[in-house]
Amino acid sequence: MNPFSTLPPLTVRMGSGSSRCPYLRRVCSEHSGGINWMSLSPDRRHLLTCSEDGTARLWSTSDHQCCMVFQGHESYITYCHLENEHAFTCSADHTIRRWDTRTGQCTDIYRGHTSIINRLLVAGNYLFSGSYDRTARCWSLDRGKQLQQFRGHRNCVLALAYFSAADVLGESDSDSEQNKDLLLTGSTDSCIKLWVVSNGRCYQTLRGHLGAILCLALDIPNKTLYSGSTDHTIRKWNIITGQLVKVFQEHQGSVICVEVVNRHLYSGSADRTVKCWLTESGECIRTYNTHRHTVSVVKCHDGIYNAITKTFAAVTAG
């Protein structure tokens, strides 16, 4: 059972405000169950939300209207990802669905996981997924076929990140075995694993967190990985050596989400705050206290952060 299924229905707040911020434009409350995730399209024209009610909804960011409802999952939707022409959703029904955002039709169903699917990641022609079945999987977007399975975690996979080693190591190491596409997975077993996508081999395991890994964020130019955990910390890792660089410790609850924006790191937590950190020093330079519940998603662009909590989603001035 989803631990959030007993919470009241959520609403999406579009604009830059809440009851304490006067720039709220519209409250969108069409979902009949809690909202678990949201995703903004690359062209910024649409926002996708997914819900306990088993549907995903597509919203126009220009007029804030719901312009499409995606229906077909047999249970609640845990996560969603939006491209300009396609939407992806995963569910407690153990499947992933691909939707055409122009017609609302489901174009592909990806089957193979044996338990709830928690996360999706689209990278090039790859679709990655993580599940309570303790595995991550790689799928072909075009063919809908499973290409690889990653086994090794002792518990469920909750976080995903992807990068090409060539982007980190440079052309001088082009013949190195390390110079491959790599998947990172975070699990409730407190470990982060790096996998070679082509053969499913675990290349490295990062240990240090004392709780479940809930989120991952890459800073490729600086060869850095950030991870958030139920141990209330964010940890900064060197993704070439796997060494722990720094521990960020000011949250009073689980760190649910992290996002890197230029030289800043934003984090959302179960302590109901969003914090902004300097990535180099680890100093927390600002704390946003306007949220009333756990902050589960933070998206930042153009100096404004968007945050969704477990009982409402708000866009709040940065």
Side-chain angles (χ1 to χ4, degrees):
M1 179 179 178
N2 187 338
F4 299 109
S5 61
T6 58
L7 291 174
L10 280 72
T11 61
V12 179
R13 300 190 179 200
M14 296 188 182
S16 301
S18 65
S19 59
R20 282 171 280 181
C21 298
Y23 307 111
L24 178 65
R25 296 179 184 174
R26 183 173 185 265
V27 176
C28 308
S29 56
E30 281 85 341
H31 278 296
S32 60
I35 297 172
N36 288 328
W37 204 259
M38 65 180 179
S39 178
L40 190 65
S41 64
D43 62 12
R44 310 292 184 182
R45 296 176 59 187
H46 294 95
L47 180 74
L48 180 68
T49 57
C50 63
S51 171
E52 297 286 332
D53 64 15
T55 71
R57 288 178 179 265
L58 189 67
W59 310 81
S60 168
T61 56
S62 60
D63 61 12
H64 314 141
Q65 299 297 314
C66 178
C67 50
M68 193 76 67
V69 179
F70 304 112
Q71 295 179 297
H73 278 294
E74 297 176 2
S75 187
Y76 59 88
I77 301 176
T78 56
Y79 191 86
C80 61
H81 174 80
L82 182 60
E83 297 290 325
N84 289 335
E85 296 182 356
H86 294 94
F88 298 85
T89 56
C90 61
S91 168
D93 67 9
H94 308 177
T95 70
I96 304 162
R97 287 178 179 254
R98 182 182 185 181
W99 310 84
D100 188 319
T101 57
R102 296 162 297 186
T103 66
Q105 296 298 309
C106 177
T107 58
D108 290 288
I109 302 177
Y110 304 79
R111 304 181 190 274
H113 280 293
T114 58
S115 188
I116 298 168
I117 304 171
N118 308 296
R119 285 292 183 270
L120 297 176
L121 174 65
V122 176
N125 193 41
Y126 292 141
L127 171 65
F128 297 98
S129 56
S131 169
Y132 271 82
D133 65 13
R134 305 181 184 183
T135 72
R137 302 184 188 224
C138 177
W139 314 80
S140 168
L141 277 182
D142 292 339
R143 293 176 290 163
K145 178 182 178 181
Q146 182 177 304
L147 302 177
Q148 196 59 258
Q149 185 175 155
F150 308 93
R151 286 188 175 272
H153 281 295
R154 290 178 286 107
N155 216 321
C156 58
V157 178
L158 295 179
L160 301 170
Y162 165 90
F163 69 97
S164 171
D167 296 335
V168 175
L169 299 174
E171 296 299 325
S172 60
D173 293 328
S174 60
D175 295 330
S176 170
E177 183 183 359
Q178 301 175 18
N179 193 26
K180 299 179 182 296
D181 294 331
L182 296 174
L183 174 70
L184 297 98
T185 56
S187 168
T188 53
D189 63 12
S190 304
C191 294
I192 301 166
K193 289 183 178 290
L194 284 77
W195 310 83
V196 179
V197 172
S198 60
N199 59 24
R201 182 174 63 87
C202 180
Y203 169 69
Q204 193 171 43
T205 300
L206 308 183
R207 295 182 173 89
H209 276 294
L210 303 178
I213 313 298
L214 302 181
C215 53
L216 300 171
L218 283 166
D219 181 1
I220 294 298
N222 293 304
K223 302 176 174 58
T224 301
L225 170 71
Y226 296 91
S227 56
S229 169
T230 57
D231 65 11
H232 302 184
T233 71
I234 302 164
R235 293 179 186 246
K236 178 180 179 180
W237 311 82
N238 182 305
I239 56 177
I240 295 179
T241 65
Q243 291 183 331
L244 177 64
V245 177
K246 193 175 295 291
V247 180
F248 299 32
Q249 303 181 85
E250 284 202 25
H251 277 297
Q252 303 302 308
S254 298
V255 180
I256 310 295
C257 52
V258 287
E259 178 160 355
V260 181
V261 182
N262 298 321
R263 298 179 182 178
H264 297 93
L265 177 73
Y266 290 84
S267 58
S269 170
D271 65 13
R272 306 178 185 182
T273 70
V274 173
K275 291 183 181 291
C276 179
W277 315 75
L278 295 177
T279 55
E280 184 62 31
S281 67
E283 177 188 0
C284 179
I285 59 173
R286 188 166 183 180
T287 298
Y288 302 87
N289 293 301
T290 59
H291 298 286
R292 294 176 292 173
H293 298 273
T294 295
V295 180
S296 58
V297 186
V298 171
K299 298 295 180 184
C300 185
H301 66 95
D302 298 331
I304 296 176
Y305 82 79
N306 305 262
I308 179 173
T309 73
K310 281 301 176 184
T311 57
F312 74 99
V315 181
T316 310

